[in-house]
Every structure is written in structure tokens, then in C-alpha cells.
Amino acid sequence: MDTPDQTREDAAASRAARRRFVLELWSVMRAWRWRIAASVGLLLVAKVATVAVPLLLKRIIDAFSQPNLPARLPIYLLVGYAVLRFAATLFNEWRDLLFARVTLSAVRGYARQTFAHLFALGPRFHAQRQVGSLLPDIDRGTGGIAFLLGVGLFTIVPTLVEIGLVLAVMLRRYPGGFALIILATFLVYCGFTLVFTARRVVYQRRVNKLDARAKGQLADSLLNLDTVKYFTNESVELDKFSKIMGQWQEAGLGNQRALFILHVGQSFIIGIGVAAIMLLAGMAVLERRLSVGDLVLINAYALQVCLPLNALGFVYRESRDAWVNAERLFALLRVPPDMPGAERLPPLQATAGDVVFEDVRFGYEPGRPVLDGVSLRIAPGTTLAVVGRSGSGKSTLARLLLRFYDPDGGRILVDGQDIRLHSPSSVRRAIGVVPQDAALFNDSIGNNIAYARPGADAAAVEAAARAAQLHDTIAALPEGYASAAGERGVNVSGGERQRIGIARAILKAPPILIFDEATSALDSVSEHAIVEELERLARNRSTLVIAHRLSTIVNADRIVVMERGRIAEQGTHAELLRAKGMYARLWLLQQRLERERE
């Protein structure tokens, strides 16, 4: 249970979030101030026309209700009535057309900003969040901003303007009792709506949270569909999803009950207000104090006020929902990147590709070091292989070199430049990576290769594929380079996927290469062929090889053996075998296992 201090802190945080949100929307509106001003002008003209329609209708009814009918048809009144009705619609539609650019531009801007922000956030954030739960937050958040800017602004403001105009006309033409009833109905309606909508927001937040959890669970299960089927755990995943959806259903029912009370209460208040106005007007007509035209006018104004009140209640409820949705989007945008301002640093100038790790220390979590004082060098044009048990820090070296993280201590130099003083994107442009499992987009094979160098022409893509010994395989496909790789590359084999990864690195042509266990997922035949391609690719480049199978690195210029975040041994393959240390034991163990498999 929350303490009073926690409740006060939550309330203060909510108020601060609302202030930030209002400032955000204000900045959007200020950028489009002239277009918004024109839209508001059209809105006011439309509302004046709307309020004038019942006045003209009263004059028409009174003209035809007299004992002696007019000698001539009051054409100007009848035509004017039609023109006013058309003008109200015309100016409203014109306003919407004019304002559409504001709303759509704001949604586009925030969607792009969110997308860019997600790229700026580091691996720590993405490791803790599910893609399936992020997407609904982004979708609902941008939709909420669009609603608050468009429908919210141009429903609340016009309704208030319309009610103000109606009250002014009623006070000028009729006894104050009519205006008093309309004002009292408006105030009671607003008070009731504010109180009960605030109660409903609690349910709406829970519905949104559970909806995001359900979509996250669904996406996680589908992304790991093969694993689910391996262990025949379809029922387990279904139970997890059903449990979340059950909670979502209960929250939704609570939300609907709150909505029922809100709708019924609002309709009751409007019904009482309309009944009171019509009773008062009917008595005045019977007493000959008002004409039939006055009764029609008062009835039209009562409906003209009460119907927008209903719309106002709907918009207020939806605005609160939109506010809740936008809150989550803005909370996401406020998550600070791991390296704020890093992209404003000067670009790295990498030519020779001389890589040096100087006394590097690093841990993903405080108190749990992964690297502890690692110093090593990859001389230009040489290959350095790193081996060791799982968790020894091998792959962490690659992540630090790519500036996914910065060292806690020490530094990493490329051609004498500390990479922390240069933008991460420029560091990564100087490095080509062939990972354990090359990730492919649901696009053509040609575009997947060209991803390494956007804008590369077909000849360059084909040359990279030829160098990776992949061209003949692609050419044999019915659609050639236009053949679809499928989602996550399901249409290509493991060996072909790795060759696409190699072709990407060839196309990028960087001075530095990283092979992160690039053959560990392949069979022996495929591994042998891929290793030859990797060695050909590594010629004349500085190469860091993260290896599991020692047979793939026997030709490396230098091999480093990692143990608990430190360098335990280093040397050539022959030197390390002669030393009869950890490397030699790992080599003998893997050789024995290979023989047993044969």
C-alpha cells in the first residue's frame, strides 16, 4: 500500500508531466500559429452562422403564423436560412481542411522523433523492453496527440463559443430564467463529467497497461515460435496470454461500468435541463408572452446547447484517454540515452585501422566486472582472435569497440584516437561486423546485401555477392537478387545467411572487421567454406575474431585467451600449444569431441 508521501510524490510527478505535456503541445501550436489562427477564425464564423440559423427560423415561423399571411413569399428569409445552414457546414469543413496539416505534421514529427529516440537509446534499455509492448505505446501516443490537437481543440472551443453565443442571445431576447437553466445545466453537467471521468481514468490506464503486456507476450511467443514448438509448450504460452487477457477483460469491464454511469448521468442531466426549458417556454406561449416562433427558437437553442454538451462530455472523456496514452509516449521520450550528445562529437578518422585496448575495465552492472584491466593491440592488417569460456568477456570487447557501451576505465584507441571523443556512428562506419547469425530484413536478398551501403548500385551488390561466393546461388533463384529473404531470413539457409553477412562486410569495405563467432551455428562443411571466405575478407584489414571453435583461428596472427575478464594467455596457435596452458587444454578437448562425432 502506498504511503502518504508516495501518493504526494506521484501527484507531483503527474502535475509535472502534465505541465511538460502542455508545453510540448504549445510548442507545436506556436510553430503553426498563423494556420491555427485562420482555423479559429473559420470556426468562429461557422458558429455565428450556426447560432443565427434558429433566429432566422423563428422569423420564418412567425411570418407564416400570423392570422393574415404575408402578401409575398419572404424569399430572402427562406434563401437566407438555406445559405446560413450551408455556410456553417462550409466553414467547418474548411477549418478541418486547413488544420489537417497541423495535426498530421505533429503526428509525423512525434513518430519520427520517437523512432530516432529508440535508436539513440542503448542496449541496456532495449534489453529490458519488449518490442511488442513498445509499439502499442507509440501507436496510441501519437494517436492521442492527434486527438488532443485536432478533435479536442476544435470540439471543446467551439462548444464553449456556441454556448456563450446562445446565452448572449437568450439574455438579450428572453427572461433570465431560460439562460439560468441553460447555465445551470452546463455547470452541473461539467462538474459531473469531471468527477466521474477522473474515476474512469484509473481503469483506462490499467486497460492500456494490460493491453501492452498482452501484445508484448504475443510478440515474444511468435518471435520464438520454433522454441515453443520444440518443447511443445503451446499450451503454456496460451495460458500466459489468456491470463493477461483475463486481467484485461476484468479491467475493461470495470472501465465499461464506469462509462455506463457516466453516460446515464450525463443524459439524465441534459434531459432535466431540456424539460425545464420547454416547460417554461410552453407556459409562456399559453400566456401569450411568447410566440410559437419563440418556442421553436428556444427549443432549437436548448438542443443546440445540449447536443454539444454531449459531444463535450465525449471529447473530455476521450481527451483524458488521449492524455493517458500521450503520457506513456512522452515518458518514453524522456528516457535518457546512454550517451547523451555523443552524435555531436567529431567523426572518427580511421584509415590504417590500428586498434588498441589500454587497461580497459567494464561491467554491465555495478559490482560485477566483465573486463578487468584488458590491454591488447590489433596491428593494421593483422588478425587477433579472442577465445575463452562463456562469460569471460570475449563479446564485450566487440561491443566496446563498436561503442555500444563505453569503458568504465581505460580507453580504446583507433589510429591513436580515443573513440569516446568521437561520434558512435562514425566509429561504427569504420567497422564491419559478421555476427554469429546475420540478421536479415523481410526484403529482397539484393536489398539485404545493399543494406551495408545504402544507395549501392546493382553492380556493386553483385560484385560483393561474387566475392562472398554467393552469386551463383542467388542467380539460380527464380527472381534472382529480387528474391525475398523472408522474415528474419527464413527463406535462406544458415550458410547463405552467413554469406550475405560476409557480402555486406565486403560491400562496406571498412578498415576494421569483427567476426563475432561467425561460424559457430554452421556444420563442419559449411564452416570450412565460410572460414575461407572470412580469411579472404580479413586480408589487409585489422580483424578481431571472437571464436568458439578453435579450428577456425589457427591462422590468426595472435590469439588471446580470456578468463574471468582478464587475459590469461596470448601468442600464436603453435606458441600456445607449446605452452600447454588453458588454450592447449581447450584445443585437445575440442579435437577429442570432433573425433567422437565422426
Side-chain angles (χ1 to χ4, degrees), residues 247-261:
Q247 294 171 343
W248 172 85
Q249 178 182 338
E250 289 304 313
L253 288 172
N255 189 29
Q256 196 61 41
R257 281 191 289 269
L259 197 60
F260 170 79
I261 295 171

Side-chain angles (χ1 to χ4, degrees), residues 17 20-21 23-25 27-28 106-122 125-126 129 134 137-143 145 324-338 340:
R20 283 193 296 266
F21 187 25
L23 289 173
E24 286 276 357
L25 291 182
S27 68
V28 173
V107 171
R108 171 178 170 269
Y110 277 109
R112 188 184 184 285
Q113 182 183 347
T114 306
F115 199 36
H117 185 67
L118 288 172
F119 282 134
L121 295 174
F125 171 85
H126 291 289
R129 294 293 296 266
L134 276 176
D137 286 348
I138 296 169
D139 184 44
R140 284 196 295 259
T142 51
I145 291 169
V324 171
N325 294 335
E327 273 180 357
R328 293 179 69 87
L329 179 64
F330 283 114
L332 175 62
L333 289 172
R334 287 195 299 273
V335 176
D338 289 352

Side-chain angles (χ1 to χ4, degrees), residues 519-533:
T519 63
S520 62
L522 302 176
D523 59 76
S524 299
V525 176
S526 298
E527 178 190 68
H528 180 73
I530 295 294
V531 166
E532 288 183 351
E533 303 307 326

Side-chain angles (χ1 to χ4, degrees), residues 228-247:
V228 173
K229 289 187 174 295
Y230 294 156
F231 295 96
T232 61
N233 276 342
E234 291 90 343
S235 60
V236 174
E237 295 301 314
L238 187 59
D239 287 345
K240 287 181 188 175
F241 184 71
S242 295
K243 184 177 180 181
I244 298 171
M245 290 305 293
Q247 294 171 343

Side-chain angles (χ1 to χ4, degrees), residues 332-360:
L332 175 62
L333 289 172
R334 287 195 299 273
V335 176
D338 289 352
M339 302 175 187
E343 286 303 332
R344 292 193 292 271
L345 294 172
L348 180 77
Q349 303 299 326
T351 52
D354 188 11
V355 178
V356 177
F357 285 71
E358 286 186 356
D359 193 29
V360 172

Side-chain angles (χ1 to χ4, degrees), residues 358-589:
E358 286 186 356
D359 193 29
V360 172
R361 296 181 299 280
F362 176 76
Y364 294 104
E365 298 176 10
R368 295 183 62 185
V370 177
L371 297 178
D372 187 8
V374 173
S375 296
L376 52 84
R377 181 189 178 206
I378 310 172
T382 65
T383 296
L384 174 77
V386 182
V387 300
R389 296 187 179 93
S390 297
S392 61
K394 305 187 299 296
S395 294
T396 301
L397 292 171
R399 294 190 184 105
L400 292 175
L401 180 55
L402 286 161
R403 271 210 84 186
F404 288 158
Y405 304 92
D406 281 335
D408 298 328
R411 60 181 186 161
I412 301 171
L413 306 175
V414 172
D415 290 337
Q417 305 161 84
D418 188 337
I419 63 173
R420 282 180 300 190
L421 305 179
H422 300 276
S423 63
S425 59
S426 67
V427 173
R428 292 165 197 156
R429 276 195 294 270
I431 302 170
V433 182
V434 181
Q436 178 178 352
D437 186 13
L440 303 186
F441 294 91
N442 190 12
D443 201 345
S444 69
I445 292 175
N447 286 343
N448 268 287
I449 296 173
Y451 196 77
R453 200 174 83 204
D457 58 25
V461 171
E462 184 178 323
R466 286 183 183 276
Q469 305 295 310
L470 186 62
H471 172 73
D472 291 343
T473 302
I474 297 174
L477 296 172
E479 296 182 67
Y481 283 85
S483 300
E487 191 170 3
R488 292 177 294 142
V490 296
N491 293 342
V492 298
S493 68
E496 289 165 349
R497 195 156 47 237
Q498 285 306 89
R499 288 184 188 276
I500 290 173
I502 294 169
R504 282 174 172 173
I506 293 170
L507 185 62
K508 188 174 184 181
I512 302 167
L513 286 170
I514 295 175
F515 300 151
D516 190 358
E517 302 198 27
T519 63
S520 62
L522 302 176
D523 59 76
S524 299
V525 176
S526 298
E527 178 190 68
H528 180 73
I530 295 294
V531 166
E532 288 183 351
E533 303 307 326
L534 294 177
E535 289 179 350
R536 190 161 30 246
L537 176 60
R539 286 173 194 160
N540 303 318
R541 289 188 172 93
S542 304
T543 306
L544 173 64
V545 180
I546 311 298
H548 172 69
R549 295 181 182 175
L550 304 186
S551 58
T552 63
I553 57 163
V554 293
N555 296 325
D557 296 290
R558 195 161 193 80
I559 300 171
V560 169
V561 183
M562 299 286 296
E563 177 67 15
R564 295 183 180 179
R566 292 178 176 272
I567 296 176
E569 297 176 298
Q570 57 182 312
T572 64
H573 173 71
E575 289 170 349
L576 290 170
L577 287 181
R578 284 196 297 271
K580 295 183 179 180
M582 182 183 297
Y583 181 86
R585 291 194 298 273
L586 287 172
W587 174 262
L588 291 172
L589 176 62

